Amino acid sequence: MKKFKKFYIEITSVCNLACTFCPQTKRQSNFIKIDDFTKILDEIKPHTDYIYYHVKGEPLLHPKIDQLLDLSHERGFKVNITTNGTLIDKAKHKILMKPALRQVNFSLHSFDGHEGSKDKAGYLASILTFVREAVANSNVIISFRLWNLTKDNETNLEKNKNRQLLEIIENEFNLDYKIEEKFVRGSGLKIANNVYLNQDHEFEWPDLKAEEDEGKGFCHALRNQAAILVDGTVVPCCLDGEGVINLGNVHQSRFSDIVESERANNLFDGFSRREAVEELCRKCGYRKRFG
């Protein structure tokens, strides 16, 4: 039986921002229903211990996220939430102190990525208020993400648009150094107990319209991760935000059968040979990170 270190459950396909680095989904706007979520949890329980409330969409928009966390805890899951952070003031009473919550990732690059964002200091202040409460009262891990680097500003970080955010973070945690001095791209920098900052290149979603390469390389899809979209569609990884590699639907077939289907096994075996058998995989640059 396949076991996954990361399992993505998209609890909504709706987002309150329109970031340049994250194409709006063409799928129908939807929020996962409690009964459907419960069924999914029961089906994936033999396959994973860690779930992520994310593929596309902003998870804090889900009006019943507190119930989703309770259901996850009842079944022994640990939950990671990735959010743009704009709704943290409104939603924190629903997630703070929930025993299922393991980690909250704040995509801080969302602020500059969304045209029309205003009051960067206020945006970060509301996030830091939540972080103070979370760190003081729980063991929740916090990760600040700035995934907006270009090759130019890797060597000239002082002048990039992240400096204002970094300075506020440095002051908040009384750091006696500039974050750029210790930053290593792609690695988490520990800035306080249970608080990390991660910087990396701007993320690119794979697209069937992109140019196809020779198809060589490795990926962890269906090896240490899988995902279920809000309508129940099973996809091999968190990057298939449009459900292109549709392996089946949990409302029609058992998840255990879906991930052992011919198409799923062909994808898995292909990457064992360092070969991308799916068209979308051959147009995904993330695969090249693994050689």
Side-chain angles (χ1 to χ4, degrees):
M1 180 176 290
K2 290 187 173 77
K3 294 279 288 187
F4 305 104
K5 294 179 181 178
K6 299 178 179 180
F7 202 106
Y8 297 84
I9 303 176
E10 183 184 68
I11 63 173
T12 180
S13 56
V14 180
C15 190
N16 62 322
L17 299 184
C19 295
T20 55
F21 57 83
C22 185
Q24 296 290 295
T25 179
K26 299 177 181 66
R27 294 180 285 117
Q28 182 177 354
S29 299
N30 205 350
F31 291 84
I32 202 165
K33 295 177 176 61
I34 295 295
D35 289 348
D36 291 342
F37 183 77
T38 303
K39 178 180 183 295
I40 288 172
L41 291 184
D42 290 340
E43 290 227 359
I44 69 171
K45 182 56 187 169
H47 297 274
T48 191
D49 297 315
Y50 296 96
I51 51 179
Y52 294 67
Y53 289 176
H54 191 62
V55 175
K56 287 290 186 76
E58 168 51 54
L60 297 188
L61 278 173
H62 199 293
K64 297 181 179 179
I65 191 170
D66 49 347
Q67 293 183 44
L68 303 184
L69 284 165
D70 288 340
L71 288 165
S72 301
H73 176 64
E74 288 170 9
R75 286 156 178 78
F77 291 104
K78 289 297 183 182
V79 175
N80 299 267
I81 293 176
T82 298
T83 173
N84 59 45
T86 56
L87 303 174
I88 195 64
D89 274 346
K90 296 179 180 178
K92 66 180 180 181
H93 69 284
K94 293 184 178 181
I95 68 172
L96 201 59
M97 305 308 295
K98 289 294 186 182
L101 188 62
R102 173 186 176 269
Q103 181 166 327
V104 181
N105 305 312
F106 289 100
S107 297
L108 301 184
H109 48 281
S110 301
F111 186 90
D112 286 316
H114 176 73
E115 185 177 346
S117 293
K118 298 177 180 177
D119 188 15
K120 186 179 288 189
Y123 162 73
L124 193 54
S126 63
I127 291 174
L128 290 173
T129 297
F130 170 84
V131 170
R132 283 186 220 110
E133 294 181 43
V135 170
N137 299 296
S138 72
N139 292 318
V140 170
I141 298 167
I142 303 295
S143 175
F144 298 124
R145 291 180 174 180
L146 280 167
W147 290 0
N148 58 0
L149 299 183
T150 65
K151 291 188 177 179
D152 290 338
N153 62 28
E154 264 187 58
T155 56
N156 201 7
L157 287 170
E158 277 293 331
K159 296 180 180 178
N160 78 25
K161 56 193 173 186
N162 295 334
R163 179 89 292 265
Q164 184 183 356
L165 285 172
L166 295 177
E167 186 172 0
I168 294 171
I169 291 171
E170 288 162 1
N171 291 335
E172 170 70 21
F173 294 98
N174 298 313
L175 302 184
D176 59 0
Y177 56 87
K178 279 190 167 63
I179 286 171
E180 292 92 337
E181 296 170 2
K182 297 193 176 183
F183 141 80
V184 176
R185 184 180 68 78
S187 298
L189 174 65
K190 185 174 183 177
I191 56 177
N193 184 43
N194 278 357
V195 181
Y196 299 83
L197 187 138
N198 185 287
Q199 292 184 275
D200 211 329
H201 288 149
E202 183 172 311
F203 180 78
E204 289 187 26
W205 289 86
D207 191 329
L208 285 177
K209 296 177 182 177
E211 187 175 342
E212 188 171 318
D213 63 21
E214 77 287 351
K216 299 300 181 182
F218 178 77
C219 181
H220 292 284
L222 292 183
R223 198 170 300 269
N224 74 2
Q225 68 163 281
I228 298 178
L229 303 181
V230 68
D231 66 352
T233 299
V234 178
V235 292
C237 72
C238 63
L239 305 189
D240 188 359
E242 292 304 306
V244 173
I245 307 175
N246 183 342
L247 300 175
N249 193 294
V250 290
H251 302 313
Q252 299 163 1
S253 305
R254 293 174 63 247
F255 175 79
S256 296
D257 294 335
I258 292 172
V259 291
E260 294 296 348
S261 66
E262 182 179 2
R263 187 175 186 182
N265 284 327
N266 284 343
L267 184 148
F268 183 96
D269 294 341
F271 282 126
S272 296
R273 303 188 303 269
R274 298 193 171 273
E275 176 185 340
V277 300
E278 291 281 349
E279 180 183 0
L280 187 69
C281 299
R282 295 193 295 272
K283 297 179 176 181
C284 178
Y286 207 79
R287 165 174 47 86
K288 297 176 182 178
R289 297 188 179 201
F290 308 110

